[in-house]
Amino acid sequence: MTTLARTVEVSKRYGEVNALDGVSLEIEAGRLVGLLGPNGAGKSTLVNLFVGLRKPTKGLVELLGGNPSDPRVRQGIGVTPQETGLPEALKVGEIVDFVSSHFPKKLDKWELLDRFGLRDLAKRQVGGLSGGQKRRLAVALAFAGRPRIVFLDEPTTGLDVEARRALWEGIRAFHAEGGTVVLTSHYLEEVEALAERVVVIGRGKVLADDTIQAVRGMVGVRRVSLSVAELPELPGVVSAERVEGRHHLLTPDSDRLVLDLVASGVAFADLEISPATLEDAFLAITSKETVDV
Ligand SMILES: Nc1ncnc2c1ncn2[C@@H]1O[C@H](COP(=O)(O)OP(=O)(O)OP(=O)(O)O)[C@@H](O)[C@H]1O
């Protein structure tokens, strides 16, 4: 399979901060890859290295077989950074025309607007759009030049459910045609809904790199939820939280946990055991990292 972007043992320091530490990743053609990690994990730094906005302190970054800082290489990619400034005086349709004019193989304007649910806004000035509409436009523009690979840094931050779904549809349409996407997100359900492969990043390192199912299986935790007045001390609990009177515990051995619970003699009710969600897996991986350090 063709590799469209890769890093080899890449590290990036900002002064004292080690934002990335020995990251090696390959992004293969046609894949939709989700980069997941807590605030400050290094996701944006990684995207910025891939798209040539930053240079690594150590290691190699390759994009479409070339150097990401080469403008000819960058012609083949689409990018939506976290912050987007669009000219306020232009109309939505005019901005699409303007951006498309820079690319030889542009996507039809109306097709682009339709894909991202923007057709009705084509004649509106950008200055008059809501924050969410601007964000949708900024993401749509990343696809204007029929790129081979698109990098989306938190594309749906600040969007309501409907707008988020409209964006998902646009991203899916591109991917269904064989397009390659790398996206970062804080929304675990977004990665779950879109990506085939998840790369979990924590403290500048790759903590997991696999399918969503495998990432869940890798940590092998199960969620045990119950109502109890006072939770006794239980061995084997990876994490615990209390939401509206219910306790949610994560454990690699739910059978053992239930036996210990019964043995403790505490009065509990409404016991539920369920497979770990991606969020559970993610928290378990990142907290394991914290323990190891
Ligand atoms: N320009 C910069 N100068 C100094 N430190 C920086 C700079 N950019 C990022 N950092 C630091 O590098 C680390 C990684 O930041 P980065 O923005 O890549 O993380 P992130 O995973 O994208 O976080 P978020 O989800 O909050 O956007 C953080 O500790 C951040 O404070």
Side-chain angles (χ1 to χ4, degrees), residues 32-53:
L32 210 162
V33 180
L35 300 181
L36 199 62
N39 282 324
K43 306 178 299 293
S44 298
T45 299
L46 186 55
V47 168
N48 288 340
L49 291 176
F50 270 134
V51 304
L53 287 175

Side-chain angles (χ1 to χ4, degrees), residues 14 17 19 37-46 54 82 153-154 186:
Y14 300 102
V17 179
N39 282 324
K43 306 178 299 293
S44 298
T45 299
L46 186 55
R54 299 251 177 215
Q82 272 186 5
D153 199 357
E154 299 193 13
H186 280 158

Side-chain angles (χ1 to χ4, degrees), residues 6-21:
R6 68 183 180 124
T7 62
V8 182
E9 285 296 315
V10 154
S11 298
K12 175 70 187 175
R13 289 190 77 87
Y14 300 102
E16 290 298 296
V17 179
N18 216 2
L20 290 177
D21 182 10

Side-chain angles (χ1 to χ4, degrees), residues 145-195:
R146 290 187 187 273
R148 292 176 66 196
I149 180 165
V150 173
F151 294 88
L152 305 172
D153 199 357
E154 299 193 13
T156 64
T157 295
L159 295 186
D160 61 23
V161 177
E162 208 177 311
R164 193 177 301 164
R165 286 188 191 279
L167 264 190
W168 288 359
E169 285 316 308
I171 296 168
R172 283 199 186 108
F174 172 74
H175 180 232
E177 286 178 346
T180 310
V181 182
V182 176
L183 70 92
T184 76
S185 182
H186 280 158
Y187 298 108
L188 301 168
E189 77 273 17
E190 182 160 283
V191 174
E192 214 153 14
L194 289 174

Side-chain angles (χ1 to χ4, degrees), residues 247-286:
H247 291 268
H248 302 277
L249 313 173
L250 291 183
T251 176
D253 188 348
S254 51
D255 295 341
R256 181 71 221 233
L257 188 116
V258 173
L259 285 174
D260 288 340
L261 197 60
V262 173
S264 76
V266 72
F268 63 87
D270 298 328
L271 183 78
E272 273 176 15
I273 301 174
S274 51
T277 62
L278 181 59
E279 179 157 27
D280 294 335
F282 164 63
L283 286 174
I285 293 169
T286 46

Side-chain angles (χ1 to χ4, degrees), residues 83-239:
E83 313 274 329
T84 29
L86 294 167
E88 306 262 301
L90 287 187
K91 293 187 176 136
V92 169
E94 289 170 344
I95 289 199
V96 173
D97 286 336
F98 175 74
V99 171
S100 298
S101 69
H102 291 80
F103 296 97
K105 288 190 300 174
K106 46 190 143 302
L107 191 64
D108 174 74
K109 173 164 87 179
W110 295 107
E111 190 174 346
L112 182 71
L113 292 171
D114 277 342
R115 279 189 182 186
F116 288 90
L118 293 166
R119 178 181 274 262
D120 295 345
L121 300 175
K123 296 212 166 74
R124 290 267 294 276
Q125 266 192 331
V126 169
L129 298 181
S130 72
Q133 289 166 336
K134 279 187 195 158
R135 186 83 197 133
R136 247 193 299 163
L137 174 59
V139 173
L141 291 174
F143 296 84
R146 290 187 187 273
R148 292 176 66 196
I149 180 165
V150 173
F151 294 88
L152 305 172
D153 199 357
E154 299 193 13
T156 64
T157 295
L159 295 186
D160 61 23
V161 177
E162 208 177 311
R164 193 177 301 164
R165 286 188 191 279
L167 264 190
W168 288 359
E169 285 316 308
I171 296 168
R172 283 199 186 108
F174 172 74
H175 180 232
E177 286 178 346
T180 310
V181 182
V182 176
L183 70 92
T184 76
S185 182
H186 280 158
Y187 298 108
L188 301 168
E189 77 273 17
E190 182 160 283
V191 174
E192 214 153 14
L194 289 174
E196 303 156 321
R197 175 180 161 202
V198 195
V199 178
V200 181
I201 300 192
R203 299 179 180 205
K205 291 192 167 144
V206 174
L207 303 179
D209 178 358
D210 221 316
T211 61
I212 286 178
Q213 271 191 327
V215 168
R216 277 209 211 104
M218 198 181 298
V219 266
V221 285
R222 291 176 81 81
R223 169 183 281 258
V224 178
S225 306
L226 68 157
S227 300
V228 60
E230 197 163 338
L231 193 68
E233 187 130 334
L234 295 163
V237 174
V238 185
S239 82

